[in-house]
């Protein structure tokens, strides 16, 4: 492996805010409303925008690929998604969202040589990603490349984060951690408070049952806190996730990866500094695991 797992994880941490712009920008809600989706919460637009590369698929497939959302939540939003707007229209709308949002967030940086260089490096990594067994990454990789360095950067970030996400599901299943257990254990390990994870809309009974299953395996204590064994399992899951996310980065040399990280810092700070993204999310981006 050319790059350390610390570098692989750093790339995810830098790319995630770029990708997430699609779901949180005011433009995302405006475009969703124009398509006919409800905008009193972000989920109708989120499910349509994220699932659109798959085509007009049903709730069953989306539930399988998104993994940690309550099946009832997926059913509610996907059952009518493509009657509200076609997947093709949603793809066009999400391109418009990203274009408008990143132009506003990045300002003059949109036309900079640094952003163009970052986009070229990111695209090379994304195009090298083997999407076999990675359905979300494959669906996004099959789309035509968008025009403009800010759009190419976002599209590459999206392919790479979905590639990583596909691998994360594999890592969870390899450790016998189901959808609800994934959230309970992640919250217990300190990724975010439990109330943040309630956005995935599992019932109190389902959350409690998952906690009991983890307790029976010695991964949680009776007070709901993560045990030493629970932290070992979470660390092992994150390590395997990083290992499974490493291959696309072999397309870049160590110096090129370092250069890309350097180039990404200013635009990412533009995005994060705007206050657009929530301070706490279910991703646990800021968590440290001792496997770098």
């Amino acid at each position: 492996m050319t790059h350390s797992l610390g570098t692989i994880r750093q790339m995810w941490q830098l790319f995630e805010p770029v990708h997430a712009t699609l779901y949180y920008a005011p433009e995302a809600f405006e475009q969703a409303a124009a398509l006919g989706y409800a905008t009193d919460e972000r989920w109708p637009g989120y499910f349509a925008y994220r699932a659109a590369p798959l085509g007009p698929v049903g709730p069953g497939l989306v539930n399988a690929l998104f993994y940690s959302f309550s099946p009832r939540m997926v059913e509610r939003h996907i059952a009518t998604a493509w009657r509200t707007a076609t997947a093709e229209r949603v793809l066009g709308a999400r391109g418009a969202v990203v274009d408008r949002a990143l132009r506003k967030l990045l300002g003059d940086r949109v036309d900079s040589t640094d952003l163009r260089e970052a986009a070229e490096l990111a695209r090379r990594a994304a195009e090298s990603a083997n999407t076999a067994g990675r359905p979300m990454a494959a669906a996004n990789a099959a789309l035509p490349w968008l025009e403009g360095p800010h759009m190419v950067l976002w599209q590459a970030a999206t392919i790479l984060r979905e590639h990583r996400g596909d691998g994360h599901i594999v890592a969870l299943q390899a450790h016998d951690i189901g959808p609800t257990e994934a959230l309970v254990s992640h919250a217990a390990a300190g990724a975010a408070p439990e109330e943040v994870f309630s956005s995935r809309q599992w019932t109190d009974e389902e959350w409690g049952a998952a906690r009991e299953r983890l307790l029976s395996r010695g991964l949680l204590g009776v007070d709901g806190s993560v045990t030493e064994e629970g932290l070992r399992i979470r660390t092992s899951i994150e390590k395997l996730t990083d290992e499974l996310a490493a291959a696309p980065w072999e397309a870049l040399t160590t110096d090129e990866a370092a250069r890309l990280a350097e180039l990404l810092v200013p635009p990412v700070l533009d995005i994060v500094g705007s206050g657009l993204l929530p301070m706490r999310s279910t991703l646990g981006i800021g968590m440290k695991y001792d496997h770098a």
Side-chain angles (χ1 to χ4, degrees), residues 45-129:
Y46 169 88
F47 278 99
Y49 288 141
R50 190 175 173 210
L54 298 166
V57 297
L61 180 58
V62 173
N63 183 60
L65 300 182
F66 286 20
Y67 200 66
S68 65
F69 291 91
S70 159
R72 294 174 302 280
M73 183 182 187
V74 177
E75 172 76 26
R76 184 166 64 255
H77 293 298
I78 291 295
T80 61
W82 317 125
R83 293 201 296 270
T84 302
T86 65
E88 290 77 11
R89 287 186 65 206
V90 174
L91 285 173
R94 78 176 199 165
V97 168
V98 173
D99 186 27
R100 291 172 55 207
L102 288 182
R103 284 185 183 278
K104 183 168 68 176
L105 289 165
L106 303 184
D108 293 342
R109 209 183 303 281
V110 164
D111 298 316
S112 69
T113 56
D114 281 357
L115 196 72
R116 187 172 300 278
E117 183 183 357
E120 290 171 353
L121 289 169
R123 178 171 176 170
R124 198 193 320 161
E127 288 183 328
S128 77

Side-chain angles (χ1 to χ4, degrees), residues 57-226:
V57 297
L61 180 58
V62 173
N63 183 60
L65 300 182
F66 286 20
Y67 200 66
S68 65
F69 291 91
S70 159
R72 294 174 302 280
M73 183 182 187
V74 177
E75 172 76 26
R76 184 166 64 255
H77 293 298
I78 291 295
T80 61
W82 317 125
R83 293 201 296 270
T84 302
T86 65
E88 290 77 11
R89 287 186 65 206
V90 174
L91 285 173
R94 78 176 199 165
V97 168
V98 173
D99 186 27
R100 291 172 55 207
L102 288 182
R103 284 185 183 278
K104 183 168 68 176
L105 289 165
L106 303 184
D108 293 342
R109 209 183 303 281
V110 164
D111 298 316
S112 69
T113 56
D114 281 357
L115 196 72
R116 187 172 300 278
E117 183 183 357
E120 290 171 353
L121 289 169
R123 178 171 176 170
R124 198 193 320 161
E127 288 183 328
S128 77
N130 184 341
T131 58
R134 313 263 185 158
M136 288 300 298
N140 281 277
L143 298 174
W145 282 94
L146 301 168
E147 296 293 329
H150 62 301
M151 302 295 285
V152 170
L153 180 64
W154 177 83
Q155 193 167 357
T158 298
I159 293 167
L160 291 165
R161 79 85 66 187
E162 295 291 19
H163 179 275
R164 179 188 177 86
D166 290 332
H168 186 56
I169 293 174
V170 172
L172 288 166
Q173 293 182 324
H175 290 80
D176 195 23
I177 299 293
T180 324
E181 288 92 340
L183 299 182
V184 174
S185 64
H186 213 26
E194 282 193 6
E195 54 267 25
V196 174
F197 291 86
S198 67
S199 65
R200 304 298 171 103
Q201 299 185 13
W202 297 95
T203 66
D204 290 343
E205 291 76 15
E206 289 165 332
W207 190 272
R211 182 180 287 150
E212 286 299 316
R213 289 192 292 271
L214 293 171
L215 177 63
S216 70
R217 293 175 60 185
L219 307 185
L220 292 185
V222 292
D223 61 352
S225 63
V226 66

